[in-house]
Amino acid sequence: MFCTNCGRDLPSCTKTCPNCGFAISIPEKENQGKKTSQIDGNFYGNHNNSNENKYNKPLTTARFFFVQLLFMVPVVNLFFIILWSLKKNVNTNLKAYSRSILIWLLIASLLSIFALLTFTFIKNPLPFNIFSMRINF
């Protein structure tokens, strides 16, 4: 048996590498045929957690289409955007998409308020000029 971190030869009963201290996964007899995922950091092969998989699945085309359609409804969209952005147990892709839409809505709102104030002051300027204030005695 070899350490998957440093590559050193290990005795078969070792649970941690004496060289680097890395925890060694010892496959059970039932799970010897299954590969453990080293890309996502899961060295123990615990892929049976359905809640974790449910929240990390990519959105299907139909679900993505439904979400976009739902975001077009004026009042309902704000409710779902805020709910999915802040709720803990939501699909991570849906949460990220909702947060991006929320950020775009905030940017659009701020730009709209700025444009409204700018056009209001252009139409109705201040009654005095700030830059050339003269005091007449």
Side-chain angles (χ1 to χ4, degrees), residues 63-78:
R63 178 115 188 240
F64 191 74
F65 180 78
F66 173 72
V67 168
Q68 284 184 326
L69 191 64
L70 188 66
F71 283 173
M72 289 182 197
V73 180
V75 176
V76 177
N77 66 355
L78 286 175

Side-chain angles (χ1 to χ4, degrees), residues 90-102:
V90 175
N91 185 312
T92 54
N93 298 310
L94 183 61
K95 181 182 273 193
Y97 182 64
S98 298
R99 286 181 177 177
S100 70
I101 295 294
L102 184 64

Side-chain angles (χ1 to χ4, degrees), residues 9-28:
D9 190 21
L10 302 172
S12 61
C13 62
T14 304
K15 292 185 180 180
T16 59
C17 177
N19 185 36
C20 65
F22 187 74
I24 307 298
S25 66
I26 301 173
E28 298 174 16

Side-chain angles (χ1 to χ4, degrees), residues 42-72:
N42 188 359
F43 292 99
Y44 298 103
N46 296 331
H47 297 289
N48 297 331
N49 192 353
S50 62
N51 286 338
E52 184 178 312
N53 288 339
K54 183 171 83 171
Y55 297 129
N56 291 328
K57 276 184 173 178
L59 293 177
T60 62
T61 304
R63 178 115 188 240
F64 191 74
F65 180 78
F66 173 72
V67 168
Q68 284 184 326
L69 191 64
L70 188 66
F71 283 173
M72 289 182 197

Side-chain angles (χ1 to χ4, degrees), residues 28-45:
E28 298 174 16
K29 290 182 181 180
E30 307 141 3
N31 295 334
Q32 282 183 350
K34 297 180 183 178
K35 289 184 177 180
T36 58
S37 174
Q38 294 182 0
I39 295 172
D40 61 356
N42 188 359
F43 292 99
Y44 298 103

